Amino acid sequence: MTKDVIALTPRMPDLPTLLAGLYAGGPDLGVRTLADGAVVQLCAPGGRPLVSVEAPILVQVPGETARLLDHPVADGPVWWTEARASTAAAEAGRLAGSFAGRLATVLGGTVWPSEAATTDVVPITSDVSAVPAPATPAVDVLTDRAAVVMQDRPVVPLTSWLSDALRTAAEGELALQIVTPPTTRLTLPTRTALRGLPNRWVVQDPEHGFYDGLSGARLHWKDGAFTPTGAAAQSAPFIDTGDRQLLLTLRTRHPAEADLVLGRSLETAWQHLTGRPPAGWSTAEPVNLPWSTRQLTDLARSRAPRSTWLVAVGHPERPAVATLRVLRTPAGVEEDIALTLGYGAEEDVPLDAIETLAAELGSGYGLVSLLTSLRAARRDLTVPARLEPAPVPVAFTVVGDPPPTGPTPVRLGRALHYRLGDGSRAEEAWGRLRELLELRRRLRKP
């Protein structure tokens, strides 16, 4: 597996410190930059990259490092400098560790994983001249069918590396396939990015071979991609620990006005359900910026009419993660939001707060629809390599006229609120939702 090594330092790595780190392979290795200097690569003679280093980012969101690395650090901001080792040379992992170790030695701080830290010079003896360079530093294997990324870390976040790989795969009409050990978990943004074929999470089990981490389907490498073998599923059985996740799928629509502020509906939902606004936001993980509706609005406006994708996280005491996509459409500016909150077996899920939240969102936030669901899944919101139960809908809120027949909604101003259940009867709740959606479809049909 490719080795990712991260230096976590209280001070920003300056140019002399970065150069000291890059000399971990000795003076014979070359250095080049990509993406307007955002990525620095340490290259073998001949130009084959061995280690790629992203520009340091200042993580200012409490608990974010521990969320992604299971790595406690002192309170306060920390500079996150990530080095990704190539699979082309056996020494590349140690080279990445020496780069990170040198940064931590000069600047203070720590290295993740701690056992990778060193300051040794790592001579390169492997012949990498015949190994083709990847199209992007995140991709380890590139075929005419798939871009394969290998990860060996406890949690796989949707980093800028991985976002770049996903973009490369999509532009080339390729599958993005992430290969991990069975102990690895995904963050919700990563799981969302892999949703839908041909993208796939490939688990490499030492005893049982390869299987799909989300469906359990057995896989093998065939014609340049991991594909199902047709054999029975391999995934470990689900064990209900009592943990629950509350999911809100929210859509809003606004006139494209100069004073429009985005993110307000997400902030309102967060505040309503947790008592606090989001802790931070970013365009990738780790989430590094303190929450600001004004800043995220400025970013979306600068990218318009292209869409903008963002991720937000909550404070450590209440696990919460949201993704937000801003779209410019003929009808205005739309926000597609997916907010998930985690609760332990002894904690009450605030289902009784959903109706008042729906009323508030329907009163002035451009609400189009809100689907609230409950599922049995981990409180920390990470996704393990096993089948998990599907979410069970508990409420649906929509703005518009009610169908002349069917369930009777609770009127919340302009919004219609339908109660679907308490999350305990999946078949019944899904039946009610399907009936309601079909009635609304008929209402819209000319």
Side-chain angles (χ1 to χ4, degrees):
M1 295 287 183
T2 302
K3 179 66 70 175
D4 298 337
V5 185
I6 303 166
L8 302 165
T9 60
R11 292 185 287 150
M12 179 181 179
D14 55 14
L15 182 59
T17 305
L18 289 172
L19 289 174
L22 292 170
Y23 269 100
D28 294 333
L29 299 187
V31 176
R32 70 181 181 193
T33 61
L34 302 174
D36 297 325
V39 177
V40 178
Q41 291 185 323
L42 190 57
C43 304
R48 180 58 164 87
L50 300 173
V51 174
S52 299
V53 180
E54 276 217 333
I57 59 174
L58 179 61
V59 179
Q60 305 173 68
V61 178
E64 185 65 355
T65 301
R67 181 178 76 92
L68 300 181
L69 301 178
D70 294 332
H71 183 97
V73 295
D75 290 338
V78 63
W79 287 92
W80 173 301
T81 308
E82 185 159 345
R84 180 168 172 78
S86 167
T87 54
E91 302 90 348
R94 290 190 291 119
L95 189 60
S98 183
F99 168 83
R102 289 169 179 232
L103 262 61
T105 298
V106 174
L107 301 172
T110 60
V111 172
W112 178 92
S114 57
E115 63 271 15
T118 179
T119 56
D120 297 340
V121 173
V122 181
I124 304 300
T125 59
S126 300
D127 182 8
V128 297
S129 58
V131 181
T136 172
V139 173
D140 295 293
V141 178
L142 186 64
T143 73
D144 58 359
R145 293 184 59 199
V148 180
V149 177
M150 299 182 180
Q151 292 277 268
D152 186 7
R153 51 202 296 173
V155 178
V156 177
L158 190 61
T159 61
S160 55
W161 298 107
L162 205 51
S163 295
D164 187 37
L166 184 64
R167 189 165 45 251
T168 298
E171 290 172 352
E173 298 183 350
L174 305 174
L176 177 66
Q177 300 187 331
I178 300 177
V179 182
T180 76
T183 54
T184 292
R185 292 166 282 132
L186 307 183
T187 65
L188 285 178
T190 304
R191 192 251 184 270
T192 301
L194 291 179
R195 180 175 296 153
L197 297 175
N199 297 335
R200 195 181 293 278
W201 177 15
V202 181
V203 176
Q204 184 176 8
D205 191 295
E207 297 182 4
H208 304 288
F210 298 98
Y211 65 93
D212 188 296
L214 299 178
S215 70
R218 292 180 183 269
L219 306 172
H220 63 166
W221 181 260
K222 183 179 180 181
D223 299 330
F226 286 100
T227 57
T229 64
Q234 175 60 46
S235 181
F238 172 74
I239 300 175
D240 191 350
T241 63
D243 284 4
R244 293 293 183 269
Q245 292 178 3
L246 181 64
L247 298 83
L248 282 73
T249 305
L250 171 65
R251 170 166 286 189
T252 65
R253 184 180 297 129
H254 318 275
E257 298 174 341
D259 59 352
L260 173 63
V261 178
L262 299 169
R264 292 174 58 243
S265 55
L266 175 60
E267 181 178 83
T268 297
W270 219 300
Q271 183 82 42
H272 193 91
L273 295 172
T274 72
R276 305 177 73 177
W281 73 284
S282 186
T283 58
E285 295 176 295
V287 173
N288 64 313
L289 299 171
W291 176 252
S292 169
T293 55
R294 173 53 61 187
Q295 289 182 358
L296 70 86
T297 300
D298 290 343
L299 175 65
R301 183 172 285 119
S302 71
R303 293 184 172 186
R306 294 173 299 161
S307 65
T308 296
W309 183 93
L310 306 170
V311 57
V313 297
H315 297 270
E317 61 271 16
R318 170 57 61 213
V321 176
T323 58
L324 166 65
R325 183 176 293 277
V326 180
L327 303 166
R328 183 69 169 90
T329 71
V333 180
E334 297 188 359
E335 296 174 287
D336 285 338
I337 299 166
L339 168 61
T340 305
L341 303 98
Y343 298 88
E346 304 303 319
E347 296 176 302
D348 292 329
V349 181
L351 295 180
D352 56 354
I354 297 302
E355 189 169 313
T356 54
L357 170 61
E360 185 174 1
L361 292 173
S363 65
Y365 292 87
L367 179 68
V368 175
S369 63
L370 169 63
L371 175 64
T372 304
S373 306
L374 190 65
R375 73 181 303 177
R378 294 174 61 106
R379 181 184 187 272
D380 67 7
L381 307 183
T382 60
V383 182
R386 65 172 61 93
L387 276 173
E388 293 185 309
V392 180
V394 298
F396 181 63
T397 308
V398 64
V399 171
D401 297 324
T405 61
T408 302
V410 177
R411 285 192 170 271
L412 305 174
R414 297 176 56 246
L416 308 172
H417 185 72
Y418 296 88
R419 298 165 181 162
L420 304 174
D422 61 3
S424 62
R425 298 176 181 269
E427 186 174 349
E428 182 178 307
W430 278 112
R432 289 176 178 172
L433 181 60
R434 283 192 293 267
E435 176 190 5
L436 177 59
L437 294 177
E438 176 61 21
L439 289 171
R440 296 197 61 80
R441 185 189 67 81
R442 292 176 185 175
L443 183 65
R444 292 194 302 268
K445 191 174 181 180

